[in-house]
Amino acid sequence: MVWALAVTETASYGVLYYSFAVFLVPMREELDASTAQLSGALTLSLALSGLGAVVVGRWLDRWGARWVMTTGSLLGGASVLAWSQAQDLVQLYLAFAGIGLASAAVLYEPAYAVINTWFHRDRPRALLTLTVVAGFASTIFLPTSQFLIDGVGWRPALVVLAAVVAACALPHALVLRRSPTDLGLLPDGRADGDPPPSAAASAAPDVDLSPFRGPGGAYRRPAVRWLTLAAALQMVANAAVAVFLVAYLLEGGAPAGLAAVAAGGLGALSVTGRVVLTVLAARVGIGHVTAAMVLGQAVGVAALFLLPQPAATVAFVLLFGVGFGVLNIARPALLGHFVPEPVFAAVSGQQALAVQLGRVVAPVAVGALITAVGYGAGFTAIAGCALAAAVLLVLSDRAAAASGGRA
């Protein structure tokens, strides 16, 4: 099940999100639209994905991921097909509205819900497998998309990619199940007669959900509030760096080749960071390790200001890149300890909305700051977001410990 999700997440992220960058230039030429107008379609998709995650989360808690992910893959395929036929901006935006809704149903949030239901003891390892494999989505689908465009043109290329997304419906329908009991198992693949490997792996089945209902819900728990805010702030930092790093380095006199390698290195090191997090978390605790790695991102920005080139860029990429994807593992793993399983997907969907808001706001807010004051102020703000996220992660961990840990 984890490997089925890992493969389909790679395809879904690669087509529904990363491939847009490759199609931007040929679309701009044929649709006679500006980069800003075309990028607005992706922004719409991201916003609807965040909003849709809230609704999808509630569905997942009640019915499971099997049919919502199957339907989402089919909708994603149909929407990419509509993208391939768009003749103007209105049609393009309608296609990306469908892509946004499909993304809410097939990207990380429903996959997190599956792993939270199926794993207790082995949850970090399952999340590592999922996010490491899916972390190569851009590595696979950016050159693949360009190869297809060069060979058959951008519209036929999208038809091929639409088929790839739609094909993900098959493993979703055949492999995914609501809970381990559907296969006569307990979490972590244990049979009913097996003793639990540890007390932590066997959560009490009767949990009082009343504190998680009504206005405020799970956010009455400080641990959930701080974790959500930390995830949103770290996304602001990550998204802003992804957009502005190359321009900042070039303005500072760095060679163009170094700037390009630095941008690409962040993605590669994010995979390393996830592995390091999973190894260290078993010894130190995932909350504190995550906080330290996010704090390292702020230190990496400081290195850009304090060290000469190229040492500044090398230090930045190492420190910022290692923390780039850690919350993809840490957020669902920590949330699984903060809230009961029956409400996990709903709360995770609300967190996803906050994270997507950070992704959407970051380029605009930091871009405005850079325009008004300069790159130094923009990257200082990025460091501030990472530092605040690290502090909030520590507060979240302490709040959970003070309230007795697992919900």
Coordinates of all heavy atoms in Angstrom, one line a residue, residues 181-267:
T181 N -8.4 -3.5 9.6 CA -9.4 -4.5 9.9 C -10.1 -5.1 8.7 O -10.6 -6.2 8.7 CB -10.5 -4.0 10.9 OG1 -11.0 -2.8 10.3 CG2 -9.9 -3.6 12.2
D182 N -10.1 -4.3 7.6 CA -10.6 -4.8 6.3 C -9.9 -6.0 5.8 O -10.4 -6.8 5.0 CB -10.6 -3.7 5.2 CG -11.5 -2.5 5.6 OD1 -12.4 -2.7 6.5 OD2 -11.4 -1.5 4.9
L183 N -8.6 -6.2 6.2 CA -7.8 -7.3 5.8 C -7.5 -8.2 7.0 O -6.6 -9.1 6.9 CB -6.5 -6.9 5.2 CG -6.6 -6.0 3.9 CD1 -5.2 -5.6 3.4 CD2 -7.3 -6.7 2.8
G184 N -8.3 -8.0 8.1 CA -8.0 -8.9 9.3 C -6.8 -8.6 10.0 O -6.2 -9.5 10.6
L185 N -6.3 -7.3 9.9 CA -5.0 -7.0 10.5 C -5.2 -5.9 11.5 O -6.2 -5.2 11.6 CB -4.0 -6.5 9.4 CG -3.6 -7.6 8.4 CD1 -2.8 -6.9 7.3 CD2 -2.8 -8.7 9.0
L186 N -4.1 -5.7 12.3 CA -4.0 -4.5 13.2 C -3.0 -3.6 12.5 O -2.3 -4.0 11.6 CB -3.6 -4.9 14.6 CG -4.6 -5.8 15.3 CD1 -4.0 -6.3 16.7 CD2 -5.9 -5.0 15.6
P187 N -2.8 -2.3 13.0 CA -1.8 -1.4 12.5 C -0.4 -2.1 12.5 O -0.1 -3.0 13.3 CB -1.8 -0.2 13.4 CG -3.2 -0.2 13.9 CD -3.7 -1.6 14.0
D188 N 0.5 -1.7 11.5 CA 1.8 -2.2 11.4 C 1.8 -3.6 10.8 O 2.8 -4.3 10.9 CB 2.6 -2.1 12.6 CG 2.8 -0.7 13.2 OD1 3.1 0.2 12.4 OD2 2.5 -0.5 14.4
G189 N 0.7 -4.1 10.3 CA 0.6 -5.4 9.7 C 0.5 -6.6 10.7 O 0.7 -7.7 10.3
R190 N 0.2 -6.3 12.0 CA 0.1 -7.4 12.9 C -1.2 -8.1 12.8 O -2.3 -7.5 12.5 CB 0.2 -6.8 14.4 CG 1.6 -6.2 14.7 CD 1.7 -5.7 16.1 NE 0.8 -4.5 16.3 CZ -0.2 -4.4 17.1 NH1 -0.6 -5.5 17.7 NH2 -0.9 -3.3 17.2
A191 N -1.2 -9.4 13.0 CA -2.5 -10.1 13.1 C -3.2 -9.9 14.4 O -2.6 -9.5 15.4 CB -2.2 -11.6 12.9
D192 N -4.5 -10.3 14.5 CA -5.2 -10.0 15.7 C -4.6 -10.7 16.9 O -4.7 -10.2 18.0 CB -6.7 -10.5 15.5 CG -7.5 -9.5 14.7 OD1 -7.2 -8.3 14.8 OD2 -8.4 -10.0 13.9
G193 N -4.0 -11.8 16.8 CA -3.5 -12.6 17.9 C -2.1 -12.1 18.3 O -1.6 -12.6 19.4
D194 N -1.4 -11.3 17.5 CA -0.1 -10.9 17.9 C 0.0 -9.9 19.0 O -0.9 -9.0 19.1 CB 0.6 -10.2 16.7 CG 0.8 -11.2 15.5 OD1 0.7 -12.4 15.8 OD2 1.1 -10.7 14.4
P195 N 0.9 -10.0 19.9 CA 1.0 -9.0 21.0 C 1.5 -7.7 20.4 O 2.3 -7.7 19.5 CB 2.1 -9.6 21.9 CG 2.9 -10.5 21.1 CD 2.0 -11.0 20.0
P196 N 1.1 -6.6 20.9 CA 1.6 -5.3 20.4 C 3.1 -5.1 20.7 O 3.6 -5.6 21.8 CB 0.8 -4.2 21.2 CG 0.3 -5.0 22.5 CD 0.2 -6.4 22.1
P197 N 3.9 -4.5 19.8 CA 5.3 -4.4 20.0 C 5.6 -3.4 21.1 O 6.7 -3.5 21.6 CB 5.8 -3.9 18.7 CG 4.6 -3.2 18.0 CD 3.4 -4.0 18.5
S198 N 4.8 -2.5 21.4 CA 5.0 -1.6 22.5 C 3.7 -1.0 22.9 O 2.7 -1.0 22.2 CB 5.9 -0.4 22.1 OG 5.3 0.4 21.1
A199 N 3.7 -0.4 24.1 CA 2.4 0.2 24.6 C 2.0 1.3 23.7 O 0.8 1.6 23.5 CB 2.6 0.7 26.0
A200 N 3.0 2.1 23.1 CA 2.6 3.2 22.3 C 1.9 2.8 21.0 O 1.3 3.6 20.4 CB 3.9 4.0 22.0
A201 N 2.2 1.6 20.6 CA 1.6 1.1 19.3 C 0.2 0.7 19.4 O -0.5 0.4 18.4 CB 2.4 0.0 18.8
S202 N -0.4 0.6 20.6 CA -1.7 0.1 20.8 C -2.5 1.2 21.5 O -2.6 1.3 22.7 CB -1.8 -1.2 21.6 OG -1.1 -1.0 22.9
A203 N -3.1 2.1 20.7 CA -3.9 3.2 21.2 C -5.2 2.7 21.7 O -5.8 1.7 21.1 CB -4.1 4.3 20.1
A204 N -5.8 3.3 22.7 CA -7.1 2.8 23.2 C -8.1 3.1 22.1 O -8.2 4.1 21.5 CB -7.4 3.6 24.4
P205 N -9.0 2.1 21.9 CA -10.0 2.2 20.8 C -11.1 3.2 21.1 O -11.7 3.8 20.3 CB -10.6 0.8 20.7 CG -10.3 0.2 22.0 CD -9.1 0.8 22.5
D206 N -11.4 3.4 22.4 CA -12.5 4.3 22.9 C -11.9 5.6 23.3 O -11.4 5.8 24.4 CB -13.3 3.7 24.0 CG -14.0 2.4 23.5 OD1 -14.4 2.3 22.4 OD2 -14.0 1.4 24.4
V207 N -11.9 6.6 22.4 CA -11.3 7.9 22.7 C -12.4 8.9 22.7 O -13.3 8.9 21.9 CB -10.3 8.3 21.6 CG1 -9.7 9.6 21.9 CG2 -9.2 7.2 21.5
D208 N -12.4 9.8 23.7 CA -13.3 10.9 23.8 C -13.0 11.9 22.8 O -12.0 12.6 22.8 CB -13.3 11.5 25.2 CG -14.3 12.7 25.4 OD1 -15.2 12.8 24.5 OD2 -14.2 13.4 26.4
L209 N -13.9 12.1 21.8 CA -13.7 13.0 20.7 C -14.3 14.4 20.9 O -14.1 15.3 20.1 CB -14.2 12.4 19.3 CG -13.6 11.1 18.9 CD1 -14.3 10.7 17.6 CD2 -12.1 11.2 18.7
S210 N -15.0 14.5 22.0 CA -15.7 15.8 22.2 C -14.8 17.0 22.3 O -15.2 18.1 21.8 CB -16.6 15.7 23.5 OG -15.7 15.4 24.7
P211 N -13.6 16.9 22.8 CA -12.7 18.1 22.8 C -12.3 18.5 21.4 O -11.8 19.7 21.2 CB -11.5 17.7 23.6 CG -11.9 16.5 24.4 CD -13.0 15.8 23.6
F212 N -12.5 17.6 20.4 CA -12.1 18.0 19.0 C -13.2 18.4 18.2 O -13.1 18.6 17.0 CB -11.4 16.7 18.4 CG -10.2 16.3 19.2 CD1 -10.3 15.3 20.2 CD2 -8.9 16.9 19.0 CE1 -9.2 14.9 21.0 CE2 -7.8 16.5 19.7 CZ -8.0 15.5 20.7
R213 N -14.4 18.5 18.7 CA -15.6 18.9 18.0 C -15.9 20.4 18.3 O -15.4 20.9 19.2 CB -16.8 18.0 18.4 CG -16.6 16.5 18.3 CD -16.4 16.1 16.9 NE -16.5 14.6 16.8 CZ -16.1 13.9 15.8 NH1 -15.6 14.5 14.7 NH2 -16.2 12.6 15.8
G214 N -16.8 20.9 17.5 CA -17.3 22.3 17.7 C -16.3 23.4 17.4 O -15.2 23.1 16.8
P215 N -16.6 24.6 17.7 CA -15.8 25.8 17.3 C -14.4 25.6 17.9 O -14.2 25.3 19.1 CB -16.5 27.0 17.9 CG -17.9 26.5 18.1 CD -17.9 25.0 18.3
G216 N -13.4 25.8 17.1 CA -12.0 25.7 17.6 C -11.5 24.3 17.4 O -10.3 24.1 17.1
G217 N -12.3 23.3 17.8 CA -11.9 21.9 17.6 C -10.6 21.6 18.2 O -10.2 21.9 19.3
A218 N -9.8 20.9 17.3 CA -8.4 20.5 17.7 C -7.5 21.7 18.1 O -6.5 21.5 18.8 CB -7.8 19.6 16.6
Y219 N -7.9 22.9 17.6 CA -7.0 24.0 17.8 C -7.1 24.6 19.2 O -6.4 25.5 19.5 CB -7.2 25.1 16.7 CG -6.8 24.5 15.4 CD1 -7.7 23.9 14.5 CD2 -5.5 24.6 15.0 CE1 -7.3 23.4 13.3 CE2 -5.1 24.1 13.7 CZ -6.0 23.5 12.9 OH -5.6 22.9 11.8
R220 N -8.0 24.0 20.0 CA -7.9 24.3 21.4 C -6.7 23.7 22.1 O -6.4 24.1 23.2 CB -9.2 23.9 22.1 CG -10.5 24.7 21.8 CD -11.6 24.4 22.7 NE -12.2 23.1 22.4 CZ -13.2 22.8 21.6 NH1 -13.8 23.8 21.0 NH2 -13.6 21.6 21.4
R221 N -6.1 22.7 21.4 CA -4.9 22.1 22.0 C -3.7 22.9 21.5 O -3.5 23.1 20.3 CB -4.8 20.7 21.5 CG -5.9 19.8 22.0 CD -5.7 18.4 21.4 NE -4.6 17.7 22.0 CZ -4.6 16.9 23.1 NH1 -5.7 16.8 23.7 NH2 -3.5 16.3 23.5
P222 N -2.9 23.5 22.4 CA -1.8 24.3 22.0 C -0.8 23.6 21.0 O -0.3 24.2 20.1 CB -1.1 24.7 23.3 CG -2.2 24.6 24.3 CD -3.1 23.5 23.8
A223 N -0.6 22.3 21.2 CA 0.3 21.5 20.4 C -0.1 21.6 18.9 O 0.7 21.7 18.0 CB 0.4 20.1 20.9
V224 N -1.4 21.5 18.7 CA -1.9 21.5 17.3 C -1.8 22.9 16.7 O -1.4 23.1 15.6 CB -3.4 21.0 17.2 CG1 -3.9 21.1 15.8 CG2 -3.5 19.6 17.7
R225 N -2.1 23.9 17.5 CA -2.0 25.3 17.1 C -0.5 25.6 16.7 O -0.3 26.2 15.6 CB -2.4 26.3 18.2 CG -3.9 26.3 18.4 CD -4.3 27.6 19.1 NE -3.6 27.9 20.3 CZ -3.9 27.5 21.5 NH1 -5.0 26.8 21.7 NH2 -3.2 27.8 22.6
W226 N 0.4 25.3 17.5 CA 1.8 25.7 17.3 C 2.3 24.9 16.1 O 3.1 25.4 15.3 CB 2.7 25.4 18.5 CG 2.3 26.2 19.7 CD1 2.4 25.7 21.0 CD2 1.7 27.5 19.9 NE1 1.9 26.6 21.9 CE2 1.5 27.7 21.2 CE3 1.3 28.4 18.9 CZ2 0.9 28.9 21.7 CZ3 0.7 29.6 19.4 CH2 0.5 29.8 20.8
L227 N 2.0 23.6 15.9 CA 2.4 22.8 14.8 C 1.9 23.4 13.5 O 2.6 23.5 12.5 CB 2.0 21.4 15.0 CG 2.3 20.4 13.8 CD1 3.8 20.3 13.6 CD2 1.7 19.0 14.1
T228 N 0.6 23.8 13.5 CA 0.0 24.3 12.3 C 0.7 25.6 11.9 O 1.1 25.8 10.7 CB -1.5 24.6 12.5 OG1 -2.1 23.4 12.9 CG2 -2.1 25.1 11.2
L229 N 0.9 26.5 12.8 CA 1.6 27.8 12.5 C 3.1 27.6 12.1 O 3.5 28.2 11.1 CB 1.5 28.7 13.7 CG 2.0 30.2 13.5 CD1 1.3 30.8 12.3 CD2 1.9 31.0 14.8
A230 N 3.7 26.6 12.7 CA 5.1 26.3 12.3 C 5.2 25.8 10.9 O 6.0 26.2 10.1 CB 5.7 25.3 13.3
A231 N 4.3 24.9 10.5 CA 4.2 24.4 9.1 C 4.0 25.5 8.1 O 4.6 25.5 7.0 CB 3.2 23.3 9.0
A232 N 3.1 26.4 8.4 CA 2.8 27.5 7.5 C 3.9 28.4 7.3 O 4.3 28.8 6.2 CB 1.5 28.3 8.0
L233 N 4.6 28.8 8.4 CA 5.8 29.7 8.4 C 6.9 29.0 7.6 O 7.6 29.7 6.8 CB 6.2 30.1 9.8 CG 5.3 31.1 10.5 CD1 5.7 31.3 11.9 CD2 5.3 32.4 9.7
Q234 N 7.2 27.7 7.9 CA 8.2 27.1 7.1 C 7.9 27.0 5.6 O 8.8 27.1 4.8 CB 8.5 25.7 7.7 CG 9.9 25.2 7.4 CD 10.0 23.8 6.7 OE1 9.0 23.3 6.3 NE2 11.2 23.3 6.6
M235 N 6.7 26.8 5.3 CA 6.3 26.9 3.9 C 6.5 28.2 3.3 O 7.0 28.3 2.1 CB 4.8 26.4 3.7 CG 4.4 26.5 2.2 SD 5.4 25.6 1.1 CE 5.1 23.9 1.6
V236 N 6.3 29.3 4.0 CA 6.6 30.6 3.5 C 8.1 30.7 3.2 O 8.5 31.2 2.1 CB 6.2 31.7 4.5 CG1 6.7 33.1 4.1 CG2 4.7 31.8 4.7
A237 N 8.9 30.3 4.1 CA 10.4 30.3 3.9 C 10.8 29.5 2.7 O 11.5 30.0 1.8 CB 11.1 29.9 5.1
N238 N 10.3 28.3 2.6 CA 10.6 27.4 1.5 C 10.2 27.9 0.2 O 10.9 27.9 -0.8 CB 10.0 26.0 1.7 CG 10.8 25.2 2.8 OD1 11.8 25.7 3.3 ND2 10.2 24.1 3.2
A239 N 8.9 28.4 0.1 CA 8.4 28.8 -1.2 C 9.1 30.1 -1.7 O 9.4 30.3 -2.9 CB 6.9 29.1 -1.1
A240 N 9.4 31.0 -0.7 CA 10.1 32.2 -1.1 C 11.5 31.9 -1.6 O 12.0 32.5 -2.6 CB 10.2 33.2 0.1
V241 N 12.2 31.0 -1.0 CA 13.6 30.6 -1.4 C 13.5 30.0 -2.8 O 14.3 30.3 -3.7 CB 14.2 29.7 -0.4 CG1 15.4 29.0 -1.1 CG2 14.7 30.5 0.8
A242 N 12.5 29.1 -3.0 CA 12.3 28.5 -4.3 C 12.2 29.5 -5.4 O 12.6 29.3 -6.6 CB 11.2 27.5 -4.3
V243 N 11.5 30.6 -5.2 CA 11.2 31.6 -6.2 C 12.3 32.6 -6.4 O 12.7 32.9 -7.5 CB 9.9 32.4 -5.8 CG1 9.7 33.5 -6.8 CG2 8.7 31.4 -5.9
F244 N 13.0 33.0 -5.3 CA 13.9 34.2 -5.3 C 15.4 33.8 -5.2 O 16.2 34.7 -5.3 CB 13.5 35.2 -4.3 CG 12.1 35.7 -4.5 CD1 11.1 35.5 -3.5 CD2 11.8 36.5 -5.6 CE1 9.8 36.0 -3.7 CE2 10.5 37.0 -5.7 CZ 9.5 36.8 -4.8
L245 N 15.7 32.6 -4.9 CA 17.1 32.3 -4.6 C 18.0 32.6 -5.8 O 19.1 33.3 -5.7 CB 17.3 30.8 -4.2 CG 18.8 30.4 -4.0 CD1 19.4 31.2 -2.9 CD2 18.8 28.9 -3.7
V246 N 17.7 32.1 -7.0 CA 18.5 32.3 -8.1 C 18.7 33.8 -8.4 O 19.9 34.3 -8.6 CB 17.9 31.6 -9.4 CG1 18.7 32.0 -10.6 CG2 18.0 30.1 -9.2
A247 N 17.6 34.6 -8.4 CA 17.8 36.0 -8.6 C 18.6 36.7 -7.6 O 19.4 37.6 -7.9 CB 16.4 36.7 -8.7
Y248 N 18.5 36.3 -6.3 CA 19.3 36.9 -5.2 C 20.8 36.6 -5.5 O 21.6 37.5 -5.3 CB 18.8 36.3 -3.9 CG 19.8 36.7 -2.8 CD1 19.8 37.9 -2.2 CD2 20.6 35.7 -2.2 CE1 20.6 38.2 -1.1 CE2 21.5 36.0 -1.2 CZ 21.5 37.3 -0.6 OH 22.3 37.6 0.4
L249 N 21.1 35.4 -5.8 CA 22.5 35.0 -6.0 C 23.1 35.8 -7.2 O 24.2 36.2 -7.1 CB 22.6 33.5 -6.2 CG 22.3 32.7 -4.9 CD1 22.4 31.2 -5.3 CD2 23.3 33.0 -3.8
L250 N 22.3 35.9 -8.3 CA 22.8 36.6 -9.5 C 23.1 38.0 -9.2 O 24.0 38.6 -9.6 CB 21.8 36.4 -10.6 CG 21.7 35.0 -11.2 CD1 20.6 34.9 -12.3 CD2 23.1 34.5 -11.8
E251 N 22.1 38.6 -8.4 CA 22.3 40.1 -8.1 C 23.5 40.3 -7.2 O 24.2 41.3 -7.3 CB 21.1 40.6 -7.4 CG 21.2 42.1 -7.1 CD 19.9 42.7 -6.5 OE1 19.9 42.6 -5.2 OE2 19.1 43.2 -7.2
G252 N 23.9 39.3 -6.4 CA 25.0 39.4 -5.5 C 26.3 39.0 -6.2 O 27.4 39.1 -5.6
G253 N 26.3 38.7 -7.5 CA 27.5 38.5 -8.3 C 27.9 37.0 -8.4 O 29.0 36.7 -8.9
A254 N 27.1 36.1 -7.9 CA 27.4 34.7 -8.1 C 27.3 34.3 -9.5 O 26.5 34.8 -10.3 CB 26.5 33.8 -7.2
P255 N 28.2 33.3 -10.0 CA 28.1 32.9 -11.4 C 26.7 32.2 -11.6 O 26.1 31.6 -10.7 CB 29.2 31.8 -11.4 CG 30.1 32.2 -10.3 CD 29.3 32.7 -9.2
A256 N 26.2 32.3 -12.8 CA 24.9 31.7 -13.2 C 24.9 30.2 -12.9 O 23.9 29.7 -12.5 CB 24.6 32.1 -14.6
G257 N 26.0 29.5 -13.2 CA 26.0 28.1 -13.0 C 25.9 27.7 -11.6 O 25.2 26.8 -11.2
L258 N 26.6 28.5 -10.7 CA 26.5 28.3 -9.3 C 25.1 28.5 -8.8 O 24.5 27.7 -8.0 CB 27.4 29.2 -8.5 CG 27.4 29.1 -7.0 CD1 27.8 27.7 -6.5 CD2 28.3 30.2 -6.4
A259 N 24.4 29.5 -9.3 CA 23.0 29.8 -8.8 C 22.1 28.6 -9.2 O 21.2 28.2 -8.5 CB 22.5 31.1 -9.5
A260 N 22.3 28.1 -10.5 CA 21.4 27.1 -10.9 C 21.6 25.8 -10.1 O 20.7 25.1 -9.8 CB 21.6 26.8 -12.4
V261 N 22.9 25.5 -9.9 CA 23.2 24.3 -9.1 C 22.7 24.4 -7.7 O 22.2 23.4 -7.1 CB 24.7 24.0 -9.1 CG1 25.1 22.9 -8.1 CG2 25.2 23.6 -10.5
A262 N 22.8 25.6 -7.1 CA 22.2 25.8 -5.8 C 20.7 25.5 -5.7 O 20.3 24.9 -4.8 CB 22.5 27.2 -5.3
A263 N 20.0 26.0 -6.7 CA 18.5 25.8 -6.7 C 18.2 24.4 -6.8 O 17.3 23.8 -6.1 CB 17.9 26.6 -7.8
G264 N 18.9 23.7 -7.7 CA 18.7 22.2 -7.8 C 19.1 21.4 -6.6 O 18.5 20.4 -6.3
G265 N 20.2 21.9 -5.9 CA 20.7 21.2 -4.8 C 19.7 21.1 -3.6 O 19.7 20.2 -2.8
L266 N 18.8 22.1 -3.5 CA 17.9 22.2 -2.4 C 16.9 20.9 -2.5 O 16.7 20.3 -1.4 CB 17.0 23.4 -2.5 CG 17.7 24.7 -2.2 CD1 16.8 25.9 -2.4 CD2 18.3 24.8 -0.8
G267 N 16.5 20.6 -3.7 CA 15.6 19.4 -3.8 C 16.3 18.1 -3.5 O 15.8 17.3 -2.8

